[in-house]
Every structure is written in structure tokens, then in C-alpha cells.
Amino acid sequence: MSLKLYEVTGHVAQALEEGFDPETGELSPELATALAEFEGKGAAVTAYILNLDAEADAVKSAIQRLTNRKRALESRSEWLRDYLKRNMATTGIKRIDAIDGTFSARLEVGRDEAVEIDDGVKLPDDLCRVKIEADKTKIKAAIKSGQPVPEGIRLVRRDRLVIA
């Protein structure tokens, strides 16, 4: 039965307590075995991480291709809707029905409402929506320069695993 990485880590930690041979100063055989086992398991976990990353990249690429295809289809559909709407308005035709009755297209003149705002129009504050959110870049700079920041804000350091 193959041990899991955390189990091997436990063996390394246990062997570290015994550590080195006091007479020769060499690694104990248990520690050498545990370290070798950990390296093998660590390499296997790293290889699995790289495989997952490669699969995630492939999925991301597929999503991008499909997103682009979706956008193109939606754009073409929107253009054709506008094309049909303009031509129905020009001819005065308000309804088109499929021969088999499975669908119809209706032109409902003046039905929808939308607000349009010209470029450069100054709006009063009561007609605007403002979203306020923390600027973490500015907060980090303030902390690093020694400026006071509200309680509950701190700069934390995290470990980073680099796989190359």
C-alpha cells in the first residue's frame, strides 16, 4: 500500500527527532529513507499539479474559443434582428409567420423604453450611483510607508510554492 504525502511527512518529522547518528554525525537510516520517500512523493504531487495546470489551461483555451464563437453568433443574430426590424419598419409589415406556424416575428413599434445619455452630460449626484471599494494597492503603500490605517487592516505575508 502506498503512503500519502502527509503520512510520509509524519515519518520525516518522527525521524528528525532521532536525526543523526551521534557517533558518526551521519543521517540515521530512518531519516534518509523518510527523506527519499518524501522526495519521491513530493515529485509525484508536483507532477500531478503540473498535469492539473495543463488541463486547466486547455479548458481555459476551450472556454475562450467557445466564448469567442458565442460572441460571434450573438453578434450575427443581433445584426440580423436589426436588419429584419429595419426592413419590416420600412415596408410597414408588422408580422411574419412561418408557413408551418412554428414561429413568428412581430414588430411592436414604440414598445420599449430606454434612457440615452449623450457624452459629456453632467449629471447631479442624486441621479448617479457610486460604488466605493477598498484600493488595496494604496492601502499596502500606506502601511509600508508607515501611515496609520484603520484597525482591522494588516499586511500579511504568505508562503508561495514555485513549480518550475
Side-chain angles (χ1 to χ4, degrees):
M1 181 174 133
S2 180
L3 296 176
K4 299 193 177 357
L5 183 64
Y6 74 90
E7 294 170 329
V8 174
T9 300
H11 292 166
V12 170
Q14 187 178 13
L16 277 172
E17 290 177 10
E18 300 162 14
F20 302 92
D21 186 333
E23 294 175 12
T24 63
E26 294 179 356
L27 290 178
S28 69
E30 294 82 17
L31 179 57
T33 301
L35 287 172
E37 200 172 5
F38 181 85
E39 286 238 355
K41 286 292 177 184
V45 170
T46 302
Y48 186 61
I49 290 168
L50 291 171
N51 281 339
L52 290 175
D53 289 348
E55 187 174 350
D57 286 344
V59 168
K60 181 180 178 181
S61 178
I63 288 170
Q64 186 62 50
R65 280 192 314 276
L66 289 172
T67 300
N68 290 343
R69 178 74 177 136
K70 176 182 173 264
R71 237 182 259 131
L73 292 169
E74 289 172 342
S75 177
R76 183 69 175 155
S77 175
E78 190 60 36
W79 185 88
L80 286 169
R81 284 174 189 275
D82 188 54
Y83 174 71
L84 180 59
K85 181 173 61 172
R86 282 191 326 260
N87 284 284
M88 286 176 74
T90 300
T91 60
I93 295 174
K94 303 283 188 240
R95 185 179 180 103
I96 299 171
D97 292 308
I99 294 171
D100 62 0
T102 56
F103 64 85
S104 68
R106 291 186 324 271
L107 179 61
E108 297 176 351
V109 179
R111 178 181 173 264
D112 296 335
E113 294 179 339
V115 174
E116 290 183 354
I117 302 171
D118 293 336
D119 290 340
V121 172
K122 299 275 186 188
L123 293 170
D125 289 345
D126 62 328
L127 295 180
C128 294
R129 183 179 357 181
V130 178
K131 180 179 178 185
I132 297 175
E133 61 183 63
D135 185 338
K136 291 184 178 181
T137 304
K138 287 183 180 178
I139 293 171
K140 182 178 179 180
I143 291 172
K144 286 192 165 207
S145 69
Q147 296 176 24
V149 294
E151 192 173 320
I153 297 175
R154 65 198 148 282
L155 187 60
V156 295
R157 291 198 169 270
R158 296 190 178 124
D159 295 340
R160 177 185 294 200
L161 175 66
V162 178
I163 297 176

